[in-house]
Amino acid sequence: MEAAEAVETIQREMTSFARRARASAGRLHPELSLVSYTLLGHLEESGGCRATDLAAHYALDKSTVSRQVGALEHADLIERRQDPRDHRVQVLHLTDAGRRILAQVTESRRTAFRERLARWPEEDLERFAEYLVRYNAWRAPAAPSDLPPEPSP
């Protein structure tokens, strides 16, 4: 397989993977979209953060995050707390219910992955994990408008 063909196959398979992930998220918990699940996971890992931090981290539009945050608040899965260092800032945190739902969905997802990968050799699993980490670690080069101005001579 040539490099161009391999890239096309990767793009097609990653798209299929994303579609399956979105569909399975709804089956695992009907009220918890893949985006909501991802945001809850980030809040748990980070110990809480601002909505603008979520938008920046996931390269999502602020209005998308705002809608998701509103739905998660309405479902009592997250709450806003005042930042003790800056009282003007609201920090999002998981509620106890949010932690329980996240744990349930995480365990269901883990079980689904284990079943799907059960017959893979350990070497293939390790290589696949390494490739995914490397793929997801890539960052786009800064656009010229994002770079600081060069000093004048």
Side-chain angles (χ1 to χ4, degrees):
M1 179 181 303
E2 293 180 14
E5 186 180 350
V7 169
E8 287 301 313
T9 299
I10 290 167
Q11 183 275 327
R12 183 181 61 247
E13 294 303 318
M14 294 290 282
T15 300
S16 176
F17 176 84
R19 285 186 185 130
R20 265 195 325 275
R22 279 192 299 274
S24 70
R27 287 191 304 273
L28 295 173
H29 193 281
E31 297 158 21
L32 199 59
S33 72
L34 183 59
V35 172
S36 294
Y37 171 77
T38 304
L39 298 180
L40 289 177
H42 186 82
L43 290 175
E44 180 180 55
E45 288 175 21
S46 67
C49 68
R50 300 173 305 165
T52 54
D53 297 332
L54 287 172
H57 182 78
Y58 290 106
L60 292 170
D61 186 76
K62 288 178 186 178
S63 64
T64 300
V65 171
S66 179
R67 281 192 304 277
Q68 293 292 329
V69 164
L72 292 170
E73 280 183 301
H74 183 73
D76 295 322
L77 301 178
I78 64 171
E79 63 187 1
R80 293 177 191 264
R81 296 184 201 155
Q82 197 173 52
D83 187 334
R85 294 170 299 202
D86 184 346
H87 296 299
R88 298 169 295 169
V89 175
Q90 297 280 310
V91 178
L92 304 170
H93 292 274
L94 292 178
T95 62
D96 289 340
R99 276 188 203 75
R100 281 192 303 274
I101 293 289
L102 181 62
Q104 290 169 0
V105 174
T106 298
E107 189 52 39
S108 295
R109 290 176 61 85
R110 204 172 275 138
T111 298
F113 273 106
R114 283 187 189 121
E115 288 172 2
R116 189 172 196 105
L117 300 170
R119 295 181 186 207
W120 285 37
E122 186 173 339
E123 183 178 294
D124 287 354
L125 289 171
E126 290 171 1
R127 189 176 304 120
F128 187 49
E130 289 170 8
Y131 290 157
L132 286 172
V133 168
R134 187 166 76 186
Y135 178 82
N136 286 321
W138 183 83
R139 297 288 178 248
S145 62
D146 296 337
L147 298 174
E150 293 187 24
S152 300

